Every structure is written in structure tokens, then in C-alpha cells.
């Protein structure tokens, strides 16, 4: 599963190569990498989902909105946040925004059912 996720992120974003060098305690986050990518090519397509097209600038702006919301809620570095959301661009924006405030995001599988 992780290999497939890494492949999808690599194909969709080009962000994975720097991510593999991240280590616990390193202040550099996925949110930082997204910021860099948005500065270099804000108008380039980052996400294609059904009829939606998000540029790196769109993705970063949405992530910033989530980060501002999270900070306003008191969510910050080291806080754990569960994310239960279907696969769509907003999922990546939410995950990225939480990374920007230093939260640890637990990604919950929407396909799991039962006890």
C-alpha cells in the first residue's frame, strides 16, 4: 500500500524525492515542500481529479486556508489529528495544511467498516 501511495504522490506532485529524506524531529515538512513547489510553478498542474484541475498555487492556497483554520482551533506542532475524508483534492489540501502547522495526521481509511 505504501509503495502505491508513494508512486501516486510522485506522479501527481513530484514531491516524493525530498520527502524520503525527512526524519523525525526535522522541522522541514511536506507543507514546506509544497510551498517551494508552488513558488517555482504556481500555475503548473499538480492534481487532476475527475473534472477538477488544481495547480500547485491552488493546492498551496487551499492548504494555507486549512493551516489558518487549524491554528485558530489551537492545533499545532505535535498534535495528532485524525483525517477521515474520501479521496479528492481536498484530502491532499487538508493533509498539507495540517503539516504546515506541524500536526501529525492519522489518515483513516474510509473503506473500513464494521467493529
Amino acid at each position: 500500500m505504501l509503495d502505491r501511495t508513494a508512486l501516486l504522490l510522485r506522479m501527481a506532485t513530484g514531491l516524493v524525492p525530498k520527502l524520503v529524506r525527512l526524519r523525525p524531529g526535522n522541522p522541514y515538512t511536506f507543507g514546506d515542500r509544497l510551498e517551494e513547489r508552488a513558488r517555482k510553478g504556481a500555475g503548473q498542474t499538480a492534481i487532476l481529479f475527475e473534472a477538477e484541475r488544481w495547480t500547485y498555487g491552488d493546492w498551496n492556497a487551499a492548504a494555507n486556508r486549512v493551516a489558518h483554520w487549524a491554528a485558530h482551533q489551537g492545533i499545532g506542532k505535535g498534535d495528532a489529528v485524525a483525517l477521515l475524508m474520501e479521496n479528492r483534492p481536498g484530502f491532499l489540501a487538508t493533509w498539507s495544511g495540517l503539516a504546515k502547522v506541524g500536526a501529525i495526521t492519522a489518515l483513516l481509511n474510509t473503506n473500513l467498516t464494521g467493529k
Side-chain angles (χ1 to χ4, degrees), residues 41-105:
Q44 292 178 331
T45 300
I47 302 168
L48 292 172
F49 179 77
E50 298 177 349
E52 291 183 71
R53 175 188 168 270
W54 283 34
T55 65
Y56 285 102
D58 296 332
W59 182 3
N60 191 50
N64 285 340
R65 287 190 297 275
V66 171
H68 289 299
W69 169 85
H72 185 72
Q73 300 303 310
I75 299 169
K77 184 175 180 160
D79 290 333
V81 178
L83 177 58
L84 177 65
M85 183 182 287
E86 294 176 352
N87 291 337
R88 59 178 186 237
F91 175 90
L92 292 173
T94 303
W95 180 27
S96 303
L98 291 168
K100 286 180 180 232
V101 297
I104 300 163
T105 307

Side-chain angles (χ1 to χ4, degrees), residues 16-60:
V16 172
K18 276 202 174 182
L19 291 178
V20 296
R21 292 191 291 268
L22 295 179
R23 300 283 183 263
N26 185 342
Y28 184 83
T29 69
F30 184 89
D32 296 321
R33 180 63 178 131
L34 177 57
E35 289 277 342
E36 289 175 0
R37 191 64 183 89
R39 274 193 302 274
K40 290 179 183 176
Q44 292 178 331
T45 300
I47 302 168
L48 292 172
F49 179 77
E50 298 177 349
E52 291 183 71
R53 175 188 168 270
W54 283 34
T55 65
Y56 285 102
D58 296 332
W59 182 3
N60 191 50

